[in-house]
Amino acid sequence: MAKLVLWDIDHTLMTMHGLGGDLWAVAFQEATGVPLREQASVTGSTERVILRETARLHDIPFSDDLFTRFADALGAVHLRRAAEVRERGHALTGAATALAALDKRGVRQSVVTGNIRGAAEVKLATFGLDTHLRLNDGAYGEDGEERSELLLAALARADVPAADAVFLGHTPADVTGGRDAGVRVVAVATGKTTRAALQEAGAEVVLDELADTGRVLNAIGA
């Protein structure tokens, strides 16, 4: 039985229908003083990687100080515009029910996300998805560049061995990161990646969505 379930956030638990890119552009300009002309690919990447590659596209030197300024700005703009997040985004069907069902069974839950923590907290709270999550056990964009690094950080914080954990995500990078960290991976085809691509990446189980709570619990092993 799974003792720890770790969730990706964007396109696994919720979606913001493009608002995230708008908020990212605001934070980028606030942190660098330069308007965003082009953003590096975001699918499956962490905020640190996205910022580093986007800074390179703008001939801006990347540093830990720049990332800290950006992370602070991104968290702040999410907080300022939380009402807009609520209006434009929504929790994915079945997400809240699955979280509640796992909690009822006594399964610890947290998140592993490329988002910086400030932004993640606003998103989850806005859609009421934070109630059953132990956010201090999770890992965020501040914790590394690779998904496997984030997963290992979360396992260490939760003090749970990889063999007792399950990670749910929606990209091949999520699947690969989970396998590299030694956790079981349940992929959810709620993003842009097809079922076939997620299976090819090595997911043990691929779900079309989270709407069928029984199937979700069975897939997780809870």
Side-chain angles (χ1 to χ4, degrees):
M1 179 177 177
K3 295 182 180 178
L4 177 67
V5 173
L6 298 166
W7 295 88
D8 175 52
I9 295 177
D10 292 307
H11 303 294
T12 300
L13 289 174
M14 55 150 292
T15 181
M16 296 216 301
H17 295 293
L19 177 61
D22 296 343
L23 303 185
W24 207 96
V26 172
F28 182 83
Q29 183 163 357
E30 289 181 359
T32 66
V34 175
L36 180 68
R37 300 191 307 271
E38 178 183 2
Q39 185 185 41
S41 175
V42 301
T43 303
S45 294
T46 65
E47 295 289 17
R48 182 180 288 272
V49 172
I50 298 167
L51 178 63
R52 187 186 67 221
E53 295 305 307
T54 302
R56 182 181 60 80
L57 293 173
H58 293 73
D59 297 318
I60 297 171
F62 179 79
S63 65
D64 288 341
D65 181 62
L66 173 61
F67 179 73
T68 297
R69 294 199 309 272
F70 172 77
D72 290 345
L74 190 59
V77 72
H78 273 78
L79 192 59
R80 291 196 307 269
R81 295 173 62 175
E84 192 173 351
V85 172
R86 184 177 299 106
E87 290 170 4
R88 290 182 57 178
H90 63 84
L92 294 182
T93 302
T97 304
L99 290 167
L102 286 165
D103 185 70
K104 187 174 182 179
R105 294 191 178 202
V107 179
R108 293 170 64 185
Q109 300 177 81
S110 191
V111 295
V112 168
T113 175
N115 284 249
I116 62 101
R117 180 163 180 170
E121 288 180 341
V122 170
K123 292 178 183 182
L124 292 167
T126 296
F127 300 116
L129 298 173
D130 57 339
T131 306
H132 305 298
L133 296 170
R134 302 187 185 190
L135 296 180
N136 287 337
D137 289 346
Y140 307 88
E142 294 94 332
D143 294 312
E145 295 195 353
E146 300 297 328
R147 195 70 49 169
S148 57
E149 289 181 74
L150 305 189
L151 281 159
L152 291 172
L155 293 170
R157 287 170 181 162
D159 193 23
V160 172
D164 292 333
V166 177
F167 177 47
L168 286 93
H170 74 284
T171 69
D174 291 330
V175 177
T176 301
R179 289 171 59 85
D180 288 346
V183 303
R184 288 186 58 238
V185 181
V186 174
V188 188
T190 44
K192 296 180 179 179
T193 307
T194 65
R195 284 181 58 91
L198 292 168
Q199 289 168 338
E200 185 177 345
E204 288 194 23
V205 181
V206 179
L207 301 172
D208 290 322
E209 56 183 359
L210 300 176
D212 188 333
T213 304
R215 290 192 65 188
V216 174
L217 296 178
N218 288 336
I220 290 171

